Amino acid sequence: YLEPYTVTAGQMPIRQGDKDRTLFFIESGTLTVHLEDVAGRMKLAVLAPGTVIGEGAFFSGQPRNATVVATRDSALWALKYTPFQELSQRQPAIALKLTLACAAVMVRVPPEPPSASSPKGQRWWSGGPRPRRSGAACSAAFGEGLLRSPEAGR
């Protein structure tokens, strides 16, 4: 179900506005999340191993809402939507666990990013420091069958 996906420094596995429903898990490396608008590009977060990225577009089917750039060579795992649908049919408990874990990540991520013209240092979320976008709970599903190929269950 998961496919290895490597990126080198400077590559963008996710581009704002793209219609792609791939969910990524960071195994190694570092990536940054950027919001792009008419005023330019603003860095929103630095992502490390154990983080899940792309969950918003993966589950909503909407275009990507930010760009993700590798700051150094990185190893990711990619889960495309069609294999996820197959996983849901063959291993519903695993698919449900993955969905619930990713939903927990999404509710911790603020829904409205700042614009590039927001005052520097302005908080655009409530409740203190920006929540970490850790996907460790989603990544835990690795050990629960996501690395098996769809053919293995046949």
Side-chain angles (χ1 to χ4, degrees), residues 18-90:
D18 282 359
K19 287 194 154 232
D20 174 48
R21 293 184 80 174
T22 304
L23 184 67
F24 293 98
F25 302 90
I26 303 174
E27 180 178 355
S28 66
T30 307
L31 297 96
T32 54
V33 179
H34 301 267
L35 178 68
E36 299 176 5
D37 66 10
V38 294
R41 179 187 278 188
M42 180 179 15
K43 185 181 348 178
L44 300 177
V46 176
L47 307 175
T51 304
V52 62
I53 54 176
E55 67 279 1
F58 182 79
F59 289 107
S60 73
Q62 297 297 310
R64 300 291 191 177
N65 60 12
T67 296
V68 177
V69 181
T71 56
R72 64 183 182 119
D73 294 356
S74 302
L76 313 176
W77 289 95
L79 177 62
K80 296 203 176 279
Y81 194 72
T82 300
F84 174 74
Q85 288 177 311
E86 188 171 331
L87 174 69
S88 298
Q89 295 296 314
R90 295 180 182 279

Side-chain angles (χ1 to χ4, degrees), residues 1-2 23 25 58-59 79-104 106 137-148:
Y1 297 106
L2 291 174
L23 184 67
F25 302 90
F58 182 79
F59 289 107
L79 177 62
K80 296 203 176 279
Y81 194 72
T82 300
F84 174 74
Q85 288 177 311
E86 188 171 331
L87 174 69
S88 298
Q89 295 296 314
R90 295 180 182 279
Q91 300 288 333
I94 295 171
L96 178 61
K97 187 172 182 176
L98 174 68
T99 302
L100 293 174
C102 288
M106 291 190 304
C138 290
S139 296
F142 279 10
E144 301 222 17
L146 285 177
L147 289 175
R148 284 187 290 224

